[in-house]
Amino acid sequence: MSITGLSRSPLTRGLQHIPQWPQELSSFNERDIKWCYNFFMEQAPHISVYEKENSLSNHFKYSISTGLIININGLNQPFNYNMVIGLKQGNVVDVSWIDRKDGRLLNWLMSCGLYHLTANPASIQIGYCGLASVYPYPFSSPVPAISVEQQYGLIIEYIDSLRFSSTDAIHKQSWLNVLKDFWLKVRTSASDIKWLDQDNEEQLLWAWHYLRDHLRLPPSIPLPVNSKEYYNAILASLDAMTILDAFGQPNAEKQVFIARFKKAWSQKKFRAAGKAKKPYHLPLTVKAKASLEKLALVKGCSESDILEELINREYVAILLDAQGNQKY
């Protein structure tokens, strides 16, 4: 559903409007209608576009007939269709940097990006504007498995629904630019994720469960259904871990976690590669033998399993790097 590209989707094409729709607003497309409804109507937004048009048409007629006054650009002004067009131009802004096919970015926006920005508007210069919206924050836990197209549509509608009482697009565009800059700062570097193979289903499932077990999965991230979605969700989860310090730089906590994350995968690979066992006789001192027997008893496993675990752990710690490659 490209909004600003050359191809036009149902979100951006003009509509076959209802008969009573104002001629002055005939150029409004589906995205414009959704924005308009969320801006003027304090009702549940989850109805069809044509139902929204019908409600808006009645609202517009009533507003004009009663001489409704609303505050725009800090001034009280009588309601008219030129004002509606101006408000649309100040609110339905350029979102071309949000790639509708970038599942990683869309997952990050849904899991924390938009929430972080809308929850912290104080640092943004917004003039005669506000971040109030009748559209509820849509990305609450748990989020079911939804397509990338659905994610994109939800995100764009939510961005549009944030009401800036200005006909000047610079205010809302500045807010959106803050979101873009934030994304570029928190995005996990390529060097930190190159060990993840988007075609390795076994690794991706392991990584997903590792993040879940370590409470690192954002609760509002959509449930993946295939390898590509798992890969994007894992990367977005790592992106969501980034915490910026007072100077706008990522802190070290995330890097420590990623190092442990990679080493855990290296250990799993190493253990899997050494499953074939051969009998060996290792001479041990009486004290070492007694200690081994006690460890096996306490842990509920065999003596050979204890020895293997200790050897593997030391091998990975000393001889392998973070990517699982031999250091010596």
Side-chain angles (χ1 to χ4, degrees), residues 43-325:
Q43 301 174 19
H46 302 296
I47 59 176
S48 72
V49 173
Y50 297 108
E51 288 175 304
K52 290 179 179 181
E53 281 196 345
N54 189 63
S55 295
L56 284 167
S57 178
N58 293 332
H59 175 74
F60 291 159
K61 288 178 182 178
Y62 176 81
S63 298
I64 292 173
S65 66
T66 58
L68 177 68
I69 301 296
I70 59 177
N71 190 284
I72 304 297
N73 298 334
L75 300 174
N76 290 326
Q77 303 179 38
F79 181 92
N80 58 63
Y81 292 126
N82 285 334
M83 176 187 294
V84 176
I85 294 171
L87 284 169
K88 187 206 80 168
Q89 292 170 344
N91 281 266
V92 184
V93 295
D94 177 29
V95 292
S96 58
W97 66 274
I98 302 177
D99 184 350
R100 67 188 181 94
K101 295 182 180 180
D102 188 345
R104 174 184 178 180
L105 170 59
L106 300 180
N107 272 300
W108 176 81
L109 286 168
M110 291 186 69
S111 63
C112 70
L114 289 173
Y115 178 80
H116 173 86
L117 195 60
T118 53
N120 298 277
S123 62
I124 305 168
Q125 298 300 316
I126 54 178
Y128 299 111
C129 314
L131 290 174
S133 172
V134 298
Y135 191 76
Y137 192 74
F139 318 126
S140 57
S141 176
V143 179
I146 58 176
S147 68
V148 172
E149 289 286 300
Q150 290 173 306
Q151 289 182 50
Y152 180 78
L154 282 170
I155 288 165
I156 298 306
E157 182 167 3
Y158 182 71
I159 289 173
D160 288 345
S161 77
L162 293 163
R163 296 182 293 178
F164 283 62
S165 299
S166 171
T167 56
D168 190 343
I170 190 173
H171 298 302
K172 192 166 189 178
Q173 198 66 61
S174 295
W175 172 82
L176 198 58
N177 289 343
V178 172
L179 179 61
K180 179 181 178 181
D181 291 341
F182 185 59
W183 161 243
L184 295 175
K185 287 180 179 179
V186 304
R187 196 171 188 267
T188 310
S189 68
S191 61
D192 283 334
I193 60 174
K194 65 182 181 180
W195 62 281
L196 289 164
D197 182 357
Q198 59 184 316
D199 298 318
N200 187 337
E201 183 176 351
E202 179 190 3
Q203 185 196 45
L204 296 175
L205 287 172
W206 172 87
W208 175 266
H209 289 114
Y210 185 92
L211 290 171
R212 182 199 63 190
D213 294 343
H214 287 78
L215 305 179
R216 296 293 186 169
L217 283 177
S220 53
I221 205 160
L223 181 66
V225 296
N226 56 48
S227 293
K228 184 176 182 180
E229 291 185 5
Y230 270 106
Y231 181 71
N232 286 325
I234 289 164
L235 298 192
S237 298
L238 294 176
D239 298 331
M241 286 176 54
T242 306
I243 299 175
L244 302 180
D245 62 22
F247 302 99
Q249 299 300 314
N251 66 15
E253 180 185 354
K254 175 176 169 180
Q255 295 304 119
V256 172
F257 178 84
I258 291 177
R260 291 174 179 168
F261 194 14
K262 291 190 288 187
K263 179 158 284 192
W265 173 246
S266 297
Q267 291 172 329
K268 177 178 172 56
K269 286 197 302 179
F270 181 76
R271 287 193 298 268
K275 282 185 176 179
K277 296 183 179 180
K278 296 180 181 180
Y280 291 97
H281 173 69
L282 296 175
L284 298 173
T285 65
V286 174
K287 184 177 180 180
K289 175 65 173 173
S291 298
L292 180 59
E293 290 175 353
K294 189 168 185 178
L295 278 171
L297 180 64
V298 171
K299 297 193 71 170
C301 57
S302 68
E303 294 176 18
S304 62
D305 288 337
I306 295 291
L307 287 173
E308 187 172 332
E309 179 184 346
L310 293 172
I311 292 169
N312 288 345
R313 187 189 305 162
E314 288 300 298
Y315 187 93
V316 170
I318 297 173
L319 298 180
L320 301 183
D321 63 18
Q323 282 74 41
N325 300 317

